[in-house]
């Protein structure tokens, strides 16, 4: 989060929770502010994560999230992040080469979720304006440049009321990449392999313009009702 902030990527208030002395957890949470999310640093898919509405819920949520994170990822490290709801989950596809050049393929909307798992993904997002699209794309590129990123990646943002905040970066090509391929006419898997082989990016940012609209739906199984969940706890 600190590196993203230094790269002028918008971030939510956050604080580390692991390894603090007595009273440190409560102080860190007060610094972030309520409501907040307790999140596993090594996590994903909603595992090792708890929504905390008030201070009296904090320690129980931290203990439960740490156990779940340790079991799921072998790493119980936690941090707290300001919880924003209702909100949308909007992510930007990026590619970086070994020379440090980065391009983006604008955004995908992934707000329709069940149990923190994406159900419907579409590109472009129906709520992102051209000016906001440019801002988010530029922020995603700065995020990748800040870490010298190589290959395919996805910079995920939380969006509300024309503001967006960094959630995380997925360092891989995600299963929803075909919606981006369809609106850009570019084989992203091919480019992932070419960059891994050491080839330079020859794609020009000004030529990467979306055409049309694409939607991907995931078929899942479960034992509860499906509803649209806030995007903030997706990471």
């Amino acid at each position: 989060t600190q590196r993203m902030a230094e790269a002028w990527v918008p971030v939510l208030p956050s604080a580390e929770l692991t390894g603090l002395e007595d009273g440190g957890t409560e102080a860190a949470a007060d610094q972030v502010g309520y409501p907040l999310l307790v999140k596993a640093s090594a996590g994903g898919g909603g595992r090792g994560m708890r929504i905390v509405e008030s201070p009296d819920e904090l320690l129980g949520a931290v203990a439960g999230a740490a156990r779940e994170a340790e079991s799921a990822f072998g790493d119980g490290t936690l941090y707290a992040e300001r919880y924003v709801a209702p909100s949308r989950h909007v992510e930007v596809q990026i590619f970086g080469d070994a020379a440090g050049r980065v391009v983006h393929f604008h955004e995908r909307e992934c707000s329709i979720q069940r149990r923190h798992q994406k159900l419907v993904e579409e590109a472009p997002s129906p709520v992102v304006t051209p000016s906001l699209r440019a801002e988010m794309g530029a922020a995603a590129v700065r995020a990748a440049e800040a870490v010298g990123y190589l290959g395919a990646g996805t910079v995920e943002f939380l969006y509300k009321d024309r503001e967006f905040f960094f959630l995380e970066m997925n360092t891989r090509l995600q299963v929803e990449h075909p919606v981006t391929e369809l609106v850009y006419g570019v084989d992203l898997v091919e480019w992932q392999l070419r960059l891994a082989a050491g080839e330079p990016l020859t794609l020009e940012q000004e030529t990467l313009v979306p055409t049309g609209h694409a939607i991907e739906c995931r078929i899942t199984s479960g034992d509860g009702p499906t509803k649209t969940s806030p995007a903030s706890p997706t990471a």
Side-chain angles (χ1 to χ4, degrees):
T1 300
Q2 181 178 350
R3 295 184 74 173
M4 294 300 99
E6 291 171 352
W8 297 97
V9 178
V11 297
L12 289 165
S14 64
E16 296 293 331
L17 295 179
T18 302
L20 301 177
E21 298 179 355
D22 290 346
T25 301
E26 294 91 333
D30 288 340
Q31 175 186 337
V32 171
Y34 293 90
L36 58 81
L37 280 172
V38 173
K39 302 173 71 174
S41 295
R47 290 170 293 180
M49 184 168 62
R50 301 288 189 278
I51 299 173
V52 181
E53 300 283 354
S54 61
D56 60 326
E57 302 174 8
L58 178 65
L59 295 183
V62 168
R67 287 193 300 269
E68 187 172 61
E70 186 67 41
S71 175
F73 312 114
D75 184 348
T77 305
L78 303 175
Y79 68 100
E81 179 180 85
R82 179 74 58 81
Y83 179 59
V84 179
S87 57
R88 288 177 177 264
H89 181 118
V90 181
E91 59 189 31
V92 177
Q93 179 73 64
I94 62 95
F95 278 82
D97 67 12
R101 185 164 180 267
V102 180
V103 297
H104 66 83
F105 288 81
H106 300 99
E107 84 288 345
R108 296 187 289 260
E109 170 90 32
C110 305
S111 299
I112 299 178
Q113 302 176 11
R114 180 173 183 269
R115 296 179 178 175
H116 315 309
Q117 298 291 334
K118 301 168 187 174
L119 289 180
V120 178
E121 296 102 355
E122 58 182 314
S125 166
V127 300
V128 174
T129 63
S131 60
L132 183 61
R133 178 168 296 119
E135 290 179 36
M136 296 182 80
V141 168
R142 291 197 300 272
E145 290 175 338
V147 296
Y149 192 76
L150 170 64
T154 306
V155 182
E156 304 200 354
F157 294 110
L158 181 70
Y159 170 83
K160 182 179 182 180
D161 298 334
R162 291 194 53 78
E163 289 189 296
F164 62 93
F165 306 95
F166 176 80
L167 278 177
E168 68 177 7
M169 184 174 185
N170 277 309
T171 54
R172 54 188 166 82
L173 199 60
Q174 294 180 278
V175 296
E176 58 266 30
H177 76 272
V179 297
T180 298
E181 289 184 321
L182 286 171
V183 297
Y184 285 93
V186 176
D187 188 331
L188 300 183
V189 177
E190 176 187 344
W191 268 108
Q192 179 175 241
L193 295 173
R194 291 174 68 176
L195 293 173
E199 293 187 26
L201 269 171
T202 57
L203 301 168
E204 298 295 334
Q205 188 65 67
E206 58 269 21
T207 67
L208 299 178
V209 180
T211 301
H213 197 96
I215 297 176
E216 174 183 311
C217 301
R218 298 190 198 182
I219 299 175
T220 65
S221 61
D223 58 0
T226 298
K227 64 179 181 180
T228 303
S229 57
S232 181
T234 303

